[in-house]
Amino acid sequence: MAFWFCIGVALLLSLWSRAETAGIPDGVLRMECHDRYFMIAVDLSFTGDEPHFEAVDETGAYAITQQYAAQCGYSINVHPLPGHVELRASYFSCQTQNKDDEMFTFNFNLNVTQEGKEVTYPLQDKTCSPSVPWSPREVTCETNYMEVSVRSEVTCPSGTKKDDWNSLKPAHRSTTSDWQVMFQTDDEQLPPINISDARKQGYAFLLTEGRLVFRAPYGQPESFSTEVNGVPVEAVHATIFSRQSWVVLMVDLVAACSMDEGLYHESGYMLWETPEMLYPNLDGQQINVGLQGELVAQPVAEERGYIVGKQNNTIQICIPENAEGRYRKSAVEDDLYEFYVYHLYLEQILVDEDRVETRIRSLRTLATPLLPSPIFAENQTVLEENMFTVYLGDVPEDVQLAAVHLNGQEFTVPLSVSSFIITKVVHPNNTHGYKLKVPFEDPVVLQQFSKTDALHYILNINYTLTVLPEKDLYYHMESVVALVTDVSPPQFDAVCTESGISFKLDHRPFDYLWEITIDSDLLTSELADQHGYTMSNDSNSLLLEVPLFSHGYEYKNVSLKGFFGTFEIIMRDRETSEVQGSTIKTCPFSPTELIMCSTDGRMTVVADLALAIPNGGNAARTNLRDKYCGPKETDGSRALFSFSLNSCGATVKLNSENVTYENEIFYSKKFPRPSQVVSDNAKERVTMQCTYPLSGLHRLFSVHRFESDAVGIGSLLHTTHPAADLQSPTIQPTSALTTTLATTTLAATRRATGSYKPALHPPSRYVKVTRFRYPTNTRFRYPANASYRYIWPTLNKGVRQSLQTKLNAAHI
């Protein structure tokens, strides 16, 4: 703005002294002066969950509510991780006593509820002075408001622009000499209003000894939000003016703040961005950055691991995960996780074409998503010591061991009198561990004789850990076995591969004493061929390649990010068939697509819908034939569905040998977002099928319960169809190609007639089954929850009558 005015006003300030702070225990209250604000931090252990502050001046005490804080220059934030509530007060906050813009005195009360009563604690007065001189223009982007202050004596700019004269017209037409304010949004200039009316709308205007201050809460009607280089920005543009005869005095006040919430990068950095050109800038800018109100120069920050850069006219601040001043917290969500919180403080110093300096300060709270925080257990047992030594490591600092279960017996920590010990081991990286020592002869240890002179000591450990201060529980299980003789069951070496798990066993002379089984089936070349394993066996070693999704796998934590597959090889006593040992390997897998058909009648599907939804579409808007059956999880163009076979509008195909359940994924175009553009160029339809042999469903016809002897064979078909067909649930699906249980790759066949996944075998679970009857044709497709009558013409009369009676009482 080309019009500035010269103002000199003296404010009469009075100092109001107070008694020393009393009643607050030592160590729970902290008060600090920073370069442009005053900070109070009080421990939540003293204040409780709902503390309140009052700002005090010579006129009285004023409760700092959410609205009052944003208008008057206060920011109150509760920080559970460090465990305190923090109040920040601008040097130009409403009740601050200002002496010549050089000394600022703050008075506050703290209100807390103790024993059901509200108690007020007057806090000791605190006087602060700026640590650096005031710049001609300063902007503060707080968490709840924007504040801009300008020096009241500024040299007039070098030139005048056309827009400046346009801004002058409303001021020239004004018939009053009272100060007025005129707001300008992104695309229009609003009519002027009185300063007093603007204050009623939540704005603050303050004239000090040498500065003019303007403050606006975020989200005001006169502010506007936009994106600059992809970064969200909120800005407010106010021009205050007064007409004195033929002279117009005007001041342009602009505050623009980056509203970026930060992004965590897997490399271990928290990224925050702000546009470079929010304010006029001639010769680049100086950047100071830090955490917790500390500012250091860019070179110093980079020595501490920060990365300060510029890309596409955007300033990028990368904070290292372990930066000093950050907060870390553990959390339990089925597994153990951690997240980090950063209280960013950024200062930018700019110089415009008139050599006028602008100083922008941004205070932002950034948090990472939940990150895995794995704990490991290491067997450090030395047989010669005749005791188990197990180390539990990488335990975070806010996680403690509460108890251990040893072979089912619970022992709380710290231990009472016992024959074993637990020692805590502290590490410099803010983690710790626990070393457990249990003698072999302790009664809690299991002993198992497998062969002559062969003895196993077995210790199953369940660690109970608690996350502080919430006291959430997390369990970590580990099993260790010690063999004190040379005769022991074979143990395979196992390696995870992209396509499955590879096992290797180096033969020993006495390995013949044990049988190697998969579940209860003896491992032979015939069994390997039957299940699709690749096995080679010679005099030196046995190699077994087990493809993913083949028989014997167990699967856990199925999500769009992947899942864990576990395969177990069991060693049994050759004479008694008792289990003597096993090799269990769990590996992470991340296929693009998969389909699983469980023995208890459940279908789980991860499908790539890139060509099955139109451009601009969202995978979250897909559903099965039943429109109320949506995906459990979506990620870009992929979706995860999990549903019972006889639900969600599934249909059934039945022949003399198999029963096939089928469903289909559709895209819903109803109620798109107003800004979303969705085209009708989807090219695929996605059909999934689970096929079970009738011979394995005998319990269905005897006890009316879906329980298959074997997992089903899954098929996931991607077929090309016109876009209009993709919205109809009555399209007849393309017939699936015959596949074996070892078929695992969907991507290779997804553009052909169909693509397939063999089914997995989770633990069986019963589902309710209702009555049904079948139509009289030999192959049909009807909703799975309908009632039909079906007669197999290929069966003899007696079998048909017997089977018909059972079918009429069951539902597939």
Side-chain angles (χ1 to χ4, degrees):
M1 181 72 189
F3 292 93
W4 294 79
F5 74 120
C6 301
I7 302 174
V9 178
L11 296 180
L12 299 178
L13 303 177
S14 62
L15 299 178
W16 189 51
S17 60
R18 297 258 295 280
E20 294 289 325
T21 300
I24 299 181
D26 293 338
V28 303
L29 173 66
R30 181 164 51 96
M31 297 190 292
E32 296 176 355
C33 294
H34 291 262
D35 50 2
R36 292 297 185 267
Y37 66 88
F38 170 60
M39 188 273 293
I40 298 175
V42 190
D43 287 356
L44 291 173
S45 60
F46 176 76
T47 65
D49 296 333
E50 297 183 357
H52 301 281
F53 289 94
E54 293 177 337
V56 181
D57 62 13
E58 64 274 12
T59 66
Y62 300 85
I64 304 179
T65 63
Q66 182 176 355
Q67 179 180 354
Y68 191 82
Q71 182 176 7
C72 279
Y74 303 110
S75 176
I76 298 178
N77 300 280
V78 176
H79 301 305
L81 295 190
H84 66 244
V85 57
E86 181 178 286
L87 165 67
R88 289 196 297 265
S90 166
Y91 280 1
F92 298 118
S93 53
C94 291
Q95 281 71 41
T96 303
Q97 300 179 31
N98 182 347
K99 183 177 181 181
D100 300 329
D101 294 336
E102 294 180 355
M103 296 179 62
F104 301 87
T105 301
F106 300 88
N107 298 312
F108 292 98
N109 290 337
L110 172 64
N111 297 330
V112 300
T113 301
Q114 296 177 340
E115 297 180 354
K117 298 181 179 180
E118 186 169 308
V119 182
T120 298
Y121 293 94
L123 304 182
Q124 182 180 3
D125 298 353
K126 185 71 174 181
T127 299
C128 302
S129 296
S131 56
V132 294
W134 294 99
S135 297
R137 176 168 61 178
E138 299 207 358
V139 179
T140 297
C141 297
E142 252 289 358
T143 57
N144 57 334
Y145 65 85
M146 298 177 282
E147 181 182 274
V148 56
S149 71
V150 297
R151 194 168 61 197
S152 59
E153 297 180 358
V154 180
T155 304
C156 291
S158 58
T160 306
K161 301 177 182 178
K162 180 179 179 181
D163 290 343
D164 300 330
W165 294 107
N166 294 333
S167 300
L168 179 60
K169 292 178 182 178
H172 185 268
R173 290 195 295 265
S174 175
T175 60
T176 177
S177 61
D178 294 338
W179 285 101
Q180 299 182 70
V181 59
M182 181 171 54
F183 290 98
Q184 181 173 324
T185 63
D186 194 23
D187 54 2
E188 67 174 323
Q189 186 170 279
L190 303 179
I193 60 175
N194 292 332
I195 293 292
S196 58
D197 292 336
R199 287 194 175 104
K200 293 177 182 178
Q201 296 178 17
Y203 298 99
F205 298 88
L206 176 66
L207 186 63
T208 72
E209 180 67 25
R211 302 189 72 81
L212 177 62
V213 182
F214 168 59
R215 186 181 306 111
Y218 290 120
Q220 287 289 93
E222 291 76 19
S223 63
F224 58 95
S225 299
T226 185
E227 282 196 0
V228 180
N229 301 328
V231 179
V233 172
E234 183 168 338
V236 61
H237 184 176
T239 302
I240 64 172
F241 64 89
S242 175
R243 178 179 177 179
Q244 306 290 335
S245 185
W246 56 274
V247 177
V248 176
L249 304 178
M250 302 185 68
V251 180
D252 204 32
L253 301 169
V254 178
C257 298
S258 169
M259 306 302 290
D260 184 34
E261 295 182 354
L263 177 67
Y264 179 76
H265 193 271
E266 59 183 7
S267 60
Y269 285 88
M270 192 71 192
L271 170 66
W272 188 80
E273 295 181 322
T274 182
E276 182 184 27
M277 301 304 294
L278 290 181
Y279 301 91
N281 183 21
L282 181 64
D283 300 324
Q285 58 181 283
Q286 176 184 339
I287 293 179
N288 302 314
V289 65
L291 300 178
Q292 298 297 323
E294 178 192 15
L295 287 176
V296 297
Q298 179 177 339
V300 177
E302 291 174 342
E303 290 178 359
R304 297 180 180 181
Y306 290 72
I307 300 176
V308 181
K310 182 175 70 173
Q311 184 175 5
N312 298 329
N313 295 320
T314 299
I315 302 298
Q316 295 182 331
I317 308 296
C318 296
I319 311 171
E321 185 177 86
N322 60 347
E324 183 178 354
R326 64 94 173 103
Y327 294 110
R328 183 206 164 277
K329 184 71 180 70
S330 297
V332 178
E333 292 288 342
D334 294 332
D335 210 338
L336 186 63
Y337 295 90
E338 64 183 0
F339 64 93
Y340 296 87
V341 176
Y342 307 86
H343 298 299
L344 173 66
Y345 192 21
L346 175 68
E347 180 183 65
Q348 301 166 261
I349 303 175
L350 317 174
V351 178
D352 64 16
E353 58 185 4
D354 295 309
R355 316 307 301 177
V356 176
E357 182 180 270
T358 298
R359 192 182 297 262
I360 307 106
R361 291 180 175 84
S362 300
L363 296 97
R364 290 292 183 263
T365 297
L366 312 174
T368 70
L370 290 179
L371 308 172
S373 180
I375 291 177
F376 74 92
E378 182 181 13
N379 186 2
Q380 299 178 349
T381 301
V382 178
L383 292 177
E384 289 73 17
E385 296 178 355
N386 290 320
M387 70 169 54
F388 286 107
T389 301
V390 182
Y391 177 73
L392 185 71
D394 279 354
V395 181
E397 57 185 336
D398 59 345
V399 178
Q400 292 184 358
L401 182 63
V404 291
H405 288 75
L406 303 179
N407 288 329
Q409 299 185 39
E410 182 180 10
F411 301 89
T412 58
V413 177
L415 296 172
S416 56
V417 179
S418 65
S419 59
F420 56 89
I421 58 174
I422 297 178
T423 305
K424 184 176 181 178
V425 182
V426 180
H427 300 288
N429 64 349
N430 295 323
T431 67
H432 60 278
Y434 298 94
K435 184 171 289 188
L436 170 66
K437 287 182 172 290
V438 182
F440 289 159
E441 63 272 13
D442 192 283
V444 76
V445 176
L446 299 178
Q447 299 182 13
Q448 185 180 60
F449 291 90
S450 57
K451 296 295 175 183
T452 304
D453 298 329
L455 176 61
H456 293 80
Y457 292 111
I458 303 172
L459 189 63
N460 298 309
I461 311 170
N462 187 347
Y463 296 94
T464 300
L465 300 128
T466 179
V467 177
L468 302 176
E470 300 84 1
K471 295 185 179 180
D472 293 336
L473 298 181
Y474 171 70
Y475 302 95
H476 184 89
M477 288 176 285
E478 188 72 18
S479 295
V480 290
V481 178
L483 181 65
V484 296
T485 68
D486 294 333
V487 179
S488 63
Q491 283 289 325
F492 285 80
D493 294 324
V495 178
C496 300
T497 66
E498 291 185 359
S499 58
I501 303 178
S502 177
F503 295 88
K504 180 182 179 181
L505 175 66
D506 293 324
H507 289 312
R508 301 172 302 175
F510 47 84
D511 279 349
Y512 70 93
L513 297 172
W514 290 271
E515 291 181 339
I516 301 174
T517 65
I518 308 298
D519 292 331
S520 59
D521 299 323
L522 183 65
L523 178 60
T524 62
S525 57
E526 291 79 9
L527 183 72
D529 292 339
Q530 177 185 348
H531 294 316
Y533 309 152
T534 300
M535 187 177 74
S536 62
N537 191 14
D538 56 25
S539 59
N540 296 319
S541 61
L542 169 64
L543 298 177
L544 182 66
E545 300 285 344
V546 184
L548 183 61
F549 297 112
S550 54
H551 175 77
Y553 271 97
E554 290 186 1
Y555 307 92
K556 290 184 178 180
N557 301 334
V558 180
S559 70
L560 290 179
K561 295 181 180 180
F563 60 93
F564 289 92
T566 300
F567 194 88
E568 180 180 15
I569 300 178
I570 301 174
M571 273 59 71
R572 298 178 182 272
D573 186 290
R574 180 177 294 273
E575 297 176 359
T576 65
S577 296
E578 292 182 357
V579 175
Q580 300 294 315
S582 65
T583 297
I584 303 174
K585 183 64 176 178
T586 300
C587 297
F589 299 97
S590 302
T592 303
E593 295 186 310
L594 60 86
I595 180 169
M596 301 173 178
C597 307
S598 68
T599 57
D600 62 344
R602 192 165 191 85
M603 187 186 304
T604 300
V605 176
V606 172
D608 185 355
L609 306 177
L611 297 179
I613 59 177
N615 288 345
N618 187 344
R621 299 195 64 84
T622 58
N623 54 262
L624 302 179
R625 287 193 176 115
D626 186 340
K627 65 180 181 180
Y628 296 104
C629 293
K632 304 294 184 183
E633 184 181 0
T634 60
D635 180 14
S637 63
R638 297 193 307 149
L640 168 65
F641 292 85
S642 182
F643 55 95
S644 298
L645 291 174
N646 63 340
S647 66
C648 295
T651 57
V652 178
K653 294 179 182 180
L654 183 65
N655 59 28
S656 59
E657 296 181 355
N658 301 306
V659 59
T660 298
Y661 292 85
E662 181 181 286
N663 215 314
E664 192 168 353
I665 300 175
F666 297 93
Y667 177 74
S668 174
K669 296 191 295 182
K670 293 183 179 180
F671 311 112
R673 296 189 302 272
S675 61
Q676 183 178 11
V677 178
V678 180
S679 62
D680 289 328
N681 60 346
K683 299 178 180 179
E684 281 190 352
R685 65 188 296 176
V686 181
T687 304
M688 49 268 200
Q689 299 175 341
C690 281
T691 300
Y692 295 84
L694 285 172
S695 60
L697 296 175
H698 54 86
R699 293 180 64 84
L700 177 64
F701 305 107
S702 60
V703 295
H704 309 161
R705 178 188 303 147
F706 192 105
E707 183 179 359
S708 176
D709 290 345
V711 295
I713 297 176
S715 303
L716 187 59
L717 296 89
H718 292 259
T719 55
T720 302
H721 276 263
D725 291 347
L726 298 177
Q727 301 303 319
S728 173
T730 60
I731 300 298
Q732 293 297 327
T734 304
S735 298
L737 299 178
T738 302
T739 182
T740 64
L741 200 59
T743 304
T744 59
T745 304
L746 292 109
T749 58
R750 62 174 282 116
R751 299 296 177 259
T753 302
S755 52
Y756 309 93
K757 279 290 185 182
L760 67 83
H761 197 325
S764 295
R765 188 173 58 189
Y766 296 146
V767 297
K768 183 178 180 181
V769 179
T770 57
R771 294 174 59 88
F772 77 101
R773 291 177 298 177
Y774 292 96
T776 56
N777 54 329
T778 56
R779 286 181 62 88
F780 64 91
R781 180 174 182 267
Y782 290 103
N785 57 355
S787 178
Y788 302 107
R789 187 172 184 273
Y790 176 74
I791 300 176
W792 292 339
T794 58
L795 301 180
N796 61 53
K797 179 178 180 182
V799 174
R800 288 203 303 269
Q801 292 177 346
S802 175
L803 182 56
Q804 182 63 60
T805 301
K806 296 176 180 180
L807 287 175
N808 288 337
H811 175 61
I812 299 179

